[in-house]
């Protein structure tokens, strides 16, 4: 997950000056990484993040934009989750922050998707919501056949809201339920690049695109190598098949073969792996590829006609299934 760590580190240091964008980012981070708890009859807002930089960014924005103080607790990894996690907690004024960020509505009921001010906000709010969601629970895989940018969501409503935010940015994202976990997934390489650009992860984008290009070049080289190998195998089989037919033609015609056709046929038999161009160079005097091919064709045609007159197997009867096989 090296790409994930790189993009999160860059996003956590991306400067954002507009207040509406900072609010949207905090709302998304709390929605996708956090939850509401009741402690001593009061609402407590928590957000669990996997990087210290993201936790510091969230605490700073909560204080600067919403005016609330928060605490941070380091949780050491154990079991499956081996990495350390950072829990940002607002206890004293948790209910006020929950209302300001849209985690609860005016009646105190939890909001399952993104807050209305983010959903109906401008394009910069959609970008900020994606930045916050990715810092909370996003991942970016290495470019390749199964490359993807994903965000794990707290529920289907939040997933659909994030898909809608991507649509406002003209980026195609899809909501998926993977083994009971809601995710928003972007698989198209160009769409991933566009989103990283909009989020401000320019250095990560350059590294991701470089690896993507390297993989594509490597894949193209493999395809060309396989193509060349297949062509070589087909050419070798064709040469062997032609040699078998020529050998049969010489048997059928015996002494009736014109000298120039006999010479072409003997070259084919003596150099079964050679190409037609190479056979032409071996001929004395040298012939072109088309000229040597024409003489061999005439030899085979003459032999097949003679075999039909005699009622014996023609030159193609000497071919085996292996010679006729295709890749």
């Amino acid at each position: 997950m090296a790409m994930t760590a790189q993009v999160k580190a860059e996003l956590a240091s991306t400067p954002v000056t507009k207040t509406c964008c900072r609010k949207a980012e905090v709302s998304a981070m709390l929605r996708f990484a956090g939850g509401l708890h009741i402690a001593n009859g009061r609402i407590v807002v928590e957000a669990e993040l996997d990087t210290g930089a993201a936790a510091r960014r969230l605490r700073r924005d909560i204080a600067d934009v919403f005016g609330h103080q928060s605490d941070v607790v380091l949780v050491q990894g154990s079991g499956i989750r081996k990495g350390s996690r950072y829990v940002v907690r607002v206890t004293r004024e948790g209910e006020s922050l929950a209302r300001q960020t849209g985690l609860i509505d005016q009646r105190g009921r939890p909001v399952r998707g993104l807050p209305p001010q983010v959903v109906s906000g401008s394009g910069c709010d959609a970008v900020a919501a994606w930045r916050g969601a990715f810092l909370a629970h996003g991942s970016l895989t290495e470019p390749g056949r199964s490359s993807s940018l994903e965000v794990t969501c707290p529920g289907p409503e939040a997933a659909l809201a994030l898909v809608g935010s991507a649509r406002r940015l003209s980026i195609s994202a899809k909501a998926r339920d993977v083994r009971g976990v809601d995710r928003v997934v972007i698989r198209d390489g160009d769409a991933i690049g566009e989103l990283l650009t909009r989020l401000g992860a320019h250095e990560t984008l350059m590294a991701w695109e470089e690896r993507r290009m390297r993989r594509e070049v490597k894949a193209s080289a493999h395809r060309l190598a396989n193509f060349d190998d297949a062509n070589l195998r087909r050419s070798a089989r064709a040469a062997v098949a032609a040699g078998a037919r020529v050998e049969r033609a010489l048997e059928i015609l015996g002494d009736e073969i014109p000298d120039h056709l006999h010479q072409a046929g003997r070259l084919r038999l003596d150099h079964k792996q050679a190409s037609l161009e190479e056979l032409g160079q071996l001929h004395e005097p040298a012939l072109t590829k088309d000229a040597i091919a024409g003489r061999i064709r005439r030899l085979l045609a003459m032999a097949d006609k003679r075999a039909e007159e005699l009622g014996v197997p023609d030159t193609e009867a000497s071919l085996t299934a292996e010679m006729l096989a295709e890749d």
Side-chain angles (χ1 to χ4, degrees):
M1 302 299 288
M3 295 300 297
T4 297
Q6 183 175 349
V7 69
K8 285 190 176 183
E10 188 170 4
L11 293 183
S13 62
T14 300
V16 178
T17 56
K18 294 179 66 175
T19 301
C20 65
C21 296
R22 297 178 74 182
K23 287 183 176 180
E25 184 180 311
V26 170
S27 296
M29 287 183 76
L30 293 177
R31 186 72 189 90
F32 283 81
L36 301 177
H37 306 284
I38 303 296
N40 298 324
R42 295 188 302 181
I43 293 178
V44 176
V45 177
E46 286 187 351
E48 185 177 299
L49 302 164
D50 55 6
T51 69
R56 289 190 293 272
R57 182 183 181 92
L58 178 59
R59 293 189 70 202
R60 183 183 66 245
D61 286 346
I62 289 175
D64 293 349
V65 179
F66 297 101
H68 301 301
Q69 298 303 310
S70 60
D71 301 315
V72 63
V73 178
L74 175 62
V75 179
Q76 297 293 342
S78 61
I80 298 177
R81 303 184 66 177
K82 296 181 179 180
S84 299
R85 303 184 304 283
Y86 302 82
V87 178
V88 177
R89 182 180 294 123
V90 178
T91 304
R92 291 183 55 191
E93 298 174 313
E95 182 174 350
S96 175
L97 178 63
R99 292 185 185 277
Q100 289 173 305
T101 55
L103 295 179
I104 59 176
D105 61 18
Q106 296 302 317
R107 297 183 181 181
R109 296 174 301 187
V111 175
R112 297 187 178 278
L114 287 171
Q117 61 267 29
V118 175
V119 173
S120 60
S122 61
C124 67
D125 293 322
V127 171
W130 261 95
R131 188 184 301 111
F134 192 92
L135 283 170
H137 259 164
S139 65
L140 176 65
T141 61
E142 293 280 346
R145 183 177 299 177
S146 59
S147 61
S148 67
L149 186 150
E150 296 186 7
V151 174
T152 302
C153 306
E157 297 87 355
L160 291 175
L162 198 59
V163 169
S165 295
R167 189 180 302 116
R168 284 159 55 201
L169 301 175
S170 300
I171 294 172
S172 177
K174 294 184 178 181
R176 293 278 189 267
D177 184 334
V178 182
R179 294 185 293 276
V181 178
D182 292 286
R183 301 176 186 272
V184 172
V185 184
I186 300 175
R187 295 200 180 279
D188 180 71
D190 293 335
I192 292 174
E194 174 65 21
L195 182 60
L196 290 176
T197 301
R198 300 293 290 269
L199 296 183
H202 302 294
E203 291 184 9
T204 303
L205 174 62
M206 290 178 62
W208 193 85
E209 287 288 4
E210 181 183 353
R211 296 183 191 185
R212 181 187 178 192
M213 187 178 301
R214 192 182 303 138
R215 282 179 176 270
E216 289 178 353
V217 169
K218 188 175 180 180
S220 297
H222 282 311
R223 284 194 298 270
L224 288 174
N226 291 337
F227 178 77
D228 289 342
D229 287 345
N231 276 344
L232 287 173
R233 288 194 298 272
R234 281 193 290 267
S235 297
R237 276 202 300 269
V240 171
R245 291 189 67 191
V246 166
E247 187 172 9
R248 175 60 182 160
L250 296 182
E251 292 176 1
I252 295 171
L253 294 174
D255 297 332
E256 301 178 13
I257 311 173
D259 289 342
H260 66 294
L261 299 186
H262 186 272
Q263 185 180 1
R266 290 307 316 172
L267 281 173
R268 177 76 283 173
L269 285 181
D270 294 340
H271 307 279
K272 291 185 178 180
Q273 300 295 329
S275 66
L276 288 171
E277 187 173 356
E278 290 168 338
L279 290 183
Q281 294 299 317
L282 292 170
H283 191 277
E284 294 181 3
L287 297 175
T288 64
K289 171 184 175 181
D290 292 336
I292 196 75
R295 292 189 180 187
I296 292 174
R297 279 198 303 271
R298 288 195 294 276
L299 171 64
L300 297 177
M302 181 183 295
D304 287 339
K305 183 178 180 181
R306 182 60 177 155
E308 184 179 359
E309 293 172 354
L310 297 174
V312 297
D314 61 12
T315 59
E316 291 189 357
S318 62
L319 299 179
T320 65
E322 185 179 358
M323 296 176 187
L324 298 173
E326 295 184 1
D327 291 324

